Amino acid sequence: MARTKYQRGSLRKIGNGQYVARWRRYAATPSGEKAIPRKKIITKELAAKYRIGQDYPGPLTKSDVQRLLDILIAEDTGKYVAPDSAATFEQVARQYIAVKEPRWGAHAEATTKSVIQKHLIENLGRRRVDELTAVEIQMFINGMVRSGASHSLLQKAVTHLRAILDQAEELDIIERNPMRSRTVRIEYKSRKRKSERYLSLEECRTLLSTLFGRDHLIIRMFIQLGLRPEELFALRRNDVGKGFVRIDEAFTKGQIKETKTEESAVNVYVPPDLMKELRTWMESTAGNDEDWLFPASRRRGSAGLSPISQNNYRNRVLKPAAENAGILDLDLLTLRRTCATHFGQKANTKDTQAQMRHADPSTTLKYYQQSIPESVKKAAVALEAEILKKAKRSR
């Protein structure tokens, strides 16, 4: 069995943005411990499998190459060990990201790394992990509360801070995670009121009456299907099936990432009238099967049209349409919440959870691999009928 021993390996650049990585794997033999040399060529393609270095063009940076090597060592030896008890919080946090990042989905990767970097590393990064106390951590969390952090942000910060310190304890950098003290319990309560805003059915009709063509279709899909922006704008023409759309990619921070394998692709039911409008849109626009369903108007390099940016769509389409409709405080998340609210009034909890895809992957996503329940279809059709009731639609 491999022995856990601290090492960062060595790197040698060999051209074309590639590196030769070397490290040792320690194994017990009858004659004693033996160091087995290990070697790996690090390329941009290998890094992509671990979702490293995808947010910029060209060759990998030296820091990203080292991050990948840390992961390779961790996978090969079974554990990544910090150099000594003087390790800083940033060192352990970087190791935590390196080990966990390959398992995060596209949405989690975008949000989690930002929370750890911006809120945890920037504030606690230089502190020695073994010097952090429960009182100091509580004061840090209190500071986030005073600065107006949302409940969601506080929850993410506390969750990952606890997990990072758990890793430090596992690596014997600290004797005990201070956030799991029996005498001090980390508490937090956001002062920022949690938004529960959603559109009434009348507001849905009014908003849709101000739109036409592509944007009328997109907003209907947000309201009726409850898709996340990164999912809807990553749809390709061949993702549209007979009565459903397939969700298997996400468009985040300018990058297309797979949310799941082809075998576990999620099919979301599209009710009849919405499917008719979707088919009409596809027939009126030219494109190959692999082309984006809703391409942006600007070309990027030789790769052709890119998907629509959700930030651009929110600012250039949704906000002006909301102003014309006299609707305040509208964003893309509000549209998803609108679907969850009205769908939930026409379906049971299980079907609503399935439609919104909130559930644990082993239940809802696995359930969707087989079929779309008739009860989900029935609720989706009922919601569509309510939205279209007396609606002034411009095509």
Side-chain angles (χ1 to χ4, degrees):
M1 182 175 178
R3 181 164 73 101
T4 56
K5 178 181 265 190
Y6 173 69
Q7 57 176 316
R8 300 213 70 185
S10 65
L11 292 167
R12 179 170 62 86
K13 193 171 184 179
I14 57 175
N16 296 325
Q18 299 182 355
Y19 289 78
V20 175
R22 300 178 186 274
W23 67 96
R24 291 183 176 86
R25 179 182 176 88
Y26 294 89
T29 66
S31 58
E33 187 178 67
K34 180 180 179 181
I36 305 173
R38 309 289 279 179
K39 176 183 175 182
K40 188 79 172 181
I41 303 297
I42 293 182
T43 65
K44 192 76 180 276
E45 290 70 28
L46 177 62
K49 294 181 180 179
Y50 292 86
R51 295 178 179 171
I52 292 178
Q54 293 182 282
D55 54 347
Y56 56 86
L60 293 168
T61 63
K62 185 68 176 291
S63 60
D64 278 346
V65 174
Q66 183 63 60
R67 284 178 59 207
L68 179 53
L69 177 54
D70 290 343
I71 296 175
L72 296 176
I73 293 174
E75 290 182 342
D76 190 41
T77 62
K79 192 174 182 181
Y80 184 85
V81 183
D84 53 48
S85 62
T88 64
F89 178 84
E90 180 174 7
Q91 288 176 319
V92 181
R94 297 293 182 196
Q95 295 166 22
Y96 173 79
I97 293 174
V99 173
K100 298 292 185 181
E101 185 177 15
R103 306 171 192 173
W104 292 333
H107 181 73
E109 181 185 1
T111 57
T112 302
K113 288 177 66 176
S114 175
V115 170
I116 295 175
Q117 176 61 48
K118 183 177 179 180
H119 298 281
L120 301 184
I121 292 179
E122 288 188 8
N123 290 283
L124 302 174
R126 296 183 180 180
R127 298 283 286 117
R128 280 181 49 163
V129 181
D130 60 349
E131 293 178 349
L132 287 173
T133 65
V135 174
E136 181 179 356
I137 293 171
Q138 182 65 71
M139 291 176 64
F140 164 68
I141 298 299
N142 292 346
M144 291 187 65
V145 172
R146 288 193 297 271
S147 67
S150 67
H151 175 78
S152 175
L153 174 58
L154 288 170
Q155 189 176 44
K156 289 182 176 68
V158 170
T159 297
H160 292 292
L161 179 53
R162 183 184 292 114
I164 291 169
L165 294 177
D166 278 342
Q167 178 166 301
E169 180 180 348
E170 182 181 345
L171 299 177
D172 295 326
I173 300 174
I174 56 177
E175 292 184 3
R176 186 179 183 86
N177 184 343
M179 293 185 70
R180 299 191 183 277
S181 170
R182 297 178 181 177
T183 57
V184 180
R185 181 179 178 182
I186 305 300
E187 298 180 347
Y188 59 92
K189 184 177 181 180
S190 174
R191 296 177 181 176
K192 187 175 181 180
R193 186 175 180 180
K194 187 176 180 180
S195 174
E196 298 179 354
R197 171 82 166 110
Y198 66 91
L199 299 184
S200 67
L201 290 174
E202 187 59 39
E203 286 177 317
C204 291
R205 298 167 191 144
T206 304
L207 177 63
L208 289 171
S209 70
T210 67
L211 299 166
F212 60 91
R214 181 199 72 171
D215 298 324
H216 185 277
L217 173 59
I218 288 176
I219 297 302
R220 278 194 71 184
M221 292 177 71
F222 275 130
I223 293 174
Q224 291 187 230
L225 307 184
L227 300 183
R228 299 177 179 88
E230 60 266 27
E231 296 170 342
L232 190 148
F233 294 132
L235 288 175
R236 301 177 188 269
R237 296 174 71 91
N238 61 6
D239 287 326
V240 180
K242 188 176 182 180
F244 68 88
V245 291
R246 180 177 61 242
I247 308 298
D248 58 1
E249 291 180 302
F251 181 54
T252 59
K253 295 187 176 180
Q255 297 289 322
I256 290 292
K257 301 177 181 180
E258 293 185 358
T259 56
K260 45 197 73 70
T261 63
E262 182 66 24
E263 290 75 16
S264 63
V266 180
N267 294 338
V268 177
Y269 174 67
V270 181
D273 192 85
L274 179 56
M275 178 56 75
K276 181 179 179 180
E277 184 172 345
L278 179 53
R279 289 292 183 187
T280 301
W281 161 259
M282 294 180 67
E283 291 169 3
S284 66
T285 56
N288 299 318
D289 287 348
E290 291 292 328
D291 290 344
W292 307 115
L293 184 59
F294 302 111
S297 57
R298 184 174 59 185
R299 290 185 174 274
R300 290 184 177 179
S302 59
L305 297 177
S306 67
I308 294 175
S309 162
Q310 58 176 291
N311 290 333
N312 288 343
Y313 193 83
R314 180 187 63 240
N315 296 328
R316 298 175 185 178
V317 177
L318 184 60
K319 287 186 176 180
E323 291 178 3
N324 292 336
I327 298 175
L328 303 177
D329 302 325
L330 180 60
D331 57 23
L332 296 174
L333 181 58
T334 302
L335 299 180
R336 178 167 164 80
R337 195 180 297 118
T338 297
C339 178
T341 301
H342 294 297
F343 197 96
Q345 294 174 355
K346 303 184 181 302
N348 58 39
T349 302
K350 182 178 180 180
D351 287 341
T352 302
Q353 207 169 30
Q355 176 72 10
M356 302 307 297
R357 289 158 292 114
H358 279 151
D360 184 272
S362 64
T363 55
T364 298
L365 296 186
K366 186 175 181 180
Y367 186 64
Y368 263 123
Q369 289 176 12
Q370 308 302 322
S371 63
I372 300 172
E374 287 299 321
S375 54
V376 172
K377 295 181 181 180
K378 184 177 179 180
V381 172
L383 175 58
E384 177 173 82
E386 287 285 346
I387 292 176
L388 296 181
K389 185 179 180 181
K390 299 180 182 178
K392 299 176 182 178
R393 299 172 56 192
S394 300
R395 297 285 179 97

